[in-house]
């Protein structure tokens, strides 16, 4: 129970088109820029989550039978409302996550692109038809809604990641229960209000705030047919195994440790600029961030380290609400302490700390969770700063002798979310993208996050499940195929009794 007297706002849940309370446990929400808390969020108990599921279950029959074009029009209106309210959403994200507002706007725009793609669902749901598969027999496959679907999201993209999920799910005729991260619930609740304003009937999208109790209820309730999860690998694995054991369709996207390879022939200044944003943008709290660079040869390694050092010296760290800042604070104090302890561990393990961000102070914001950009050189595979996902502004440079050696390192790592190569050599780039064991690859593109009409997903321990998030895969994830074969007997082609298996013999 939160006992801070300064707390003025208590955030609840959004069920059946209304804000409701629910649960007698609460968690404070801190502004990472100041370390102060003026809000808390209710943690839903089992009963509250069951109310949300019941609301979604009740809304399903009518929504499933709503013509796809009418469902799509709601999403078109949703796109407009999100655009009109983007500034307010940015402020909500920054106040709880800490990221700078231009970065928050980037996630909102990428999220809106998912809403736009979901508004094309009538075209994507058209199915497949074959005439005369047998004598006067026609057959078609259609893609039917599953029922109640659920999404569980991480703190780092509170608007975008939830927009990967529910817009396509509802466009396909499903209803939805969304469980945002406890640390960043406000923007998600506001998006749910906008969805109602856009014309989504009450109960089609419900939001429950909460922790493990809420998630476990969603994982085990037989009315929930599918779960999309995005978060850390340990929880993704738990969600996947528990959800599957309860007969649900599950896609669980996990953590990452993405490598960039810099070839000796690369345009180094261009690579350095790209690496700066990829490593330190959003304070490194992105699953597609680049925390490791493998430089091929010492000449490239030295040039990259010198270039990064020079660019880091120009960076401005401070509250995300001031858009002249390049990097805001980390999300919470425990996360700040964890990231800082990785920097200590890197030093203790013998990596060379070229830039030390541990003593950054932001005037007037002494209670904020600020860690300056950190840069290590001579990182090696046995170090924890190499092995673990740190999720902070810590970039490590590794030296390798060849592209093959770099690729072996990347393939041996437990994660396989994203990677990129900087080079002018088309043959090397093609060899790299053909063979690397990673789900999303960039060539001179540091953050190869697929656009809304492709799908997003990593390999290895970065994704559990068969279908990737959003894009074409999401239409398949949120629907089940039904194949119907029909014949209308007519006098000319009446068949007698037949005991052999029907075929076109
Ligand atoms: P997290 O795993 O701590 O939390 C994610 C969600 O799981 C939250 O909604 C949380 O309430 C819930 N959860 C946490 N512990 C749980 C438990 N024991 N049982 C059931 N549910 C639980 O992740 P986070 O810290 O919010 O987000 C950062 C992580 O997300 C990073 O690892 C990052 O790489 C990953 N991420 C991955 C992608 C991707 O697309 N692969 C995208 C964004 C973030």
């Amino acid at each position: 129970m939160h006992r801070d007297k300064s707390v003025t706002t208590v955030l609840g849940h959004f069920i059946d088109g209304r804000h409701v309370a629910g649960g007698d446990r609460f968690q404070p929400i801190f502004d990472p820029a100041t370390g102060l808390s003026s809000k808390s969020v209710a943690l839903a108990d089992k009963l509250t989550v069951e109310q949300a599921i019941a609301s979604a279950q009740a809304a399903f029959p009518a929504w499933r039978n709503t013509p796809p074009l009418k469902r799509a029009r709601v999403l078109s209106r949703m796109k407009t409302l999100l655009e009109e309210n983007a500034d307010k959403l940015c402020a909500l994200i920054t106040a709880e996550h800490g990221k700078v507002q231009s970065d928050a706007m980037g996630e909102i725009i990428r999220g809106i692109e998912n809403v736009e793609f979901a508004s094309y669902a009538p075209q994507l749901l058209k199915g497949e038809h074959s005439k005369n598969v047998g004598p006067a027999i026609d057959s078609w496959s259609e893609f039917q809604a599953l029922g109640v679907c659920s999404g569980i999201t991480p703190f780092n993209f509170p608007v975008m990641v939830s927009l990967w999920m529910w817009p396509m799910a509802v466009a396909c005729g499903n209803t939805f229960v969304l469980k945002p991260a406890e640390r960043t619930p406000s923007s998600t609740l506001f998006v749910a209000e906008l969805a109602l304003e856009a014309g989504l009937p009450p109960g089609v999208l419900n939001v429950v705030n909460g922790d493990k109790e809420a998630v476990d209820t969603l994982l085990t309730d037989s009315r929930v047919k599918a779960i999309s999860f995005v978060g850390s690998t340990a929880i993704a694995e738990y969600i996947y195994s528990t959800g599957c054991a309860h007969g649900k369709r599950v896609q669980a996207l996990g953590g990452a440790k993405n490598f960039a390879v810099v070839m000796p022939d690369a345009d180094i200044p261009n690579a350095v600029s790209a690496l700066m944003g990829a490593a330190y943008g959003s304070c490194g709290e992105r699953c597609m961030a680049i925390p490791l660079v493998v430089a091929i040869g010492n000449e490239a390694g030295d040039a990259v380290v010198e270039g990064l050092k020079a660019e880091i010296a120009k960076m401005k760290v401070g509250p995300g609400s001031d858009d002249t800042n390049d990097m805001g604070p980390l999300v919470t104090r425990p996360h700040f302490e964890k990231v800082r302890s990785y920097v200590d561990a890197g030093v203790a393990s013998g990596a060379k700390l070229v830039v030390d961000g541990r003593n950054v102070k932001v005037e007037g914001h002494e209670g904020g969770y600020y860690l300056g950009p950190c840069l290590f050189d001579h990182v090696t595979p046995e170090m924890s700063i190499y092995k673990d996902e740190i999720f902070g502004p810590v970039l490590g440079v590794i030296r390798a002798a060849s592209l093959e050696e770099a690729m072996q390192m990347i393939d041996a790592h437990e994660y396989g979310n994203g990677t990129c190569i900087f080079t002018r050599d088309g043959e090397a780039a093609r060899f790299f993208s053909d063979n690397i064991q990673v789900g999303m690859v960039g060539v001179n593109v540091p953050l190869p996050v697929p656009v809304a009409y492709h799908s997003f997903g990593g390999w290895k321990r970065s994704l559990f499940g068969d279908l990737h998030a959003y894009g074409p895969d999401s239409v398949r994830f949120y629907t089940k195929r039904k194949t119907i074969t029909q014949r209308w007997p007519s006098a000319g082609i009446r068949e007698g009794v037949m005991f052999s298996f029907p075929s076109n013999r």
Side-chain angles (χ1 to χ4, degrees), residues 2 11 21 23 26 45 52 120 143 169 190 253 256 281 309 319 358 375 404-405 421 489:
H2 184 54
L11 302 168
F26 299 85
D45 53 13
Y120 309 149
F143 297 95
F190 182 49
L253 283 70
K309 206 172 133 186
R358 287 175 295 181
L375 177 65
E404 287 71 18
E405 189 189 338
I421 184 168

Side-chain angles (χ1 to χ4, degrees), residues 137 152 247 328:
I137 301 176
I152 299 154

Side-chain angles (χ1 to χ4, degrees), residues 235-502:
I235 310 299
E237 199 165 20
Y238 168 72
I239 301 282
Y240 187 72
S241 57
T242 313
C244 289
H246 286 82
K248 299 180 199 317
R249 185 175 288 189
V250 187
Q251 56 177 189
L253 283 70
K257 189 84 176 179
N258 307 314
F259 291 71
V261 176
V262 180
M263 296 290 283
D265 68 349
D267 174 341
I268 300 283
N270 178 52
V272 165
S273 305
L275 289 170
M276 286 296 296
Y280 302 117
S282 209
C283 215
E285 293 168 316
R286 290 180 185 146
C287 69
M288 289 294 277
I290 295 286
L292 291 174
V293 179
V294 196
I296 310 302
N298 276 328
E299 205 178 310
D302 292 345
V304 166
V305 170
E306 282 313 306
L308 289 168
K309 206 172 133 186
E311 286 299 325
I312 290 171
K314 299 180 205 160
M315 274 180 74
K316 209 175 147 210
V317 178
S321 55
D322 175 352
D323 238 350
T324 64
N325 290 321
D326 301 304
M327 195 172 89
L330 284 157
V331 66
T332 58
R333 178 153 296 284
H335 189 56
F336 164 83
E337 276 157 12
K338 181 178 148 197
V339 175
R340 209 190 134 96
S341 76
Y342 270 110
V343 182
D344 298 343
V347 173
S349 62
K352 183 179 173 200
L353 187 56
V354 179
V355 180
D356 185 354
R358 287 175 295 181
N359 296 317
V360 156
K361 295 269 174 291
V362 178
E363 214 177 308
H365 289 77
E366 285 71 16
Y369 315 137
Y370 297 100
L371 181 70
C374 299
L375 177 65
F376 280 106
D377 195 4
H378 300 290
V379 173
T380 52
E382 72 289 349
M383 296 175 179
S384 63
I385 55 169
Y386 177 100
K387 288 193 277 202
D388 298 350
E389 180 182 43
I390 302 174
F391 227 52
V394 183
L395 177 61
V397 177
I398 303 145
R399 312 290 183 115
S402 64
L403 176 59
E404 287 71 18
E405 189 189 338
M407 288 174 67
Q408 278 163 16
M409 285 181 190
I410 298 170
D411 288 348
H413 207 284
E414 70 169 305
Y415 300 114
N417 214 38
T419 187
C420 65
I421 184 168
F422 291 94
T423 184
R424 289 185 168 105
D425 178 346
E427 191 182 346
R430 192 164 189 271
F431 179 76
F432 181 78
S433 30
D434 265 5
N435 295 292
I436 201 74
Q437 296 301 300
V438 172
M440 293 172 281
V441 181
V443 175
N444 298 317
V445 171
L447 296 176
V449 178
V451 290
Y453 44 98
H454 286 258
S455 293
F456 179 108
W459 286 10
K460 296 188 275 181
R461 288 174 60 75
S462 291
L463 188 147
F464 302 88
D466 301 313
L467 290 169
H468 288 194
Y470 68 77
D473 270 16
S474 68
V475 183
R476 292 291 169 264
F477 184 79
Y478 290 121
T479 56
K480 54 191 171 190
R481 176 188 288 264
K482 181 178 278 181
T483 307
I484 297 159
T485 304
Q486 77 172 11
R487 173 170 62 193
W488 296 100
S490 63
I493 50 162
R494 215 169 283 278
E495 280 188 353
V497 175
M498 191 173 76
F499 292 103
S500 59
F501 196 64

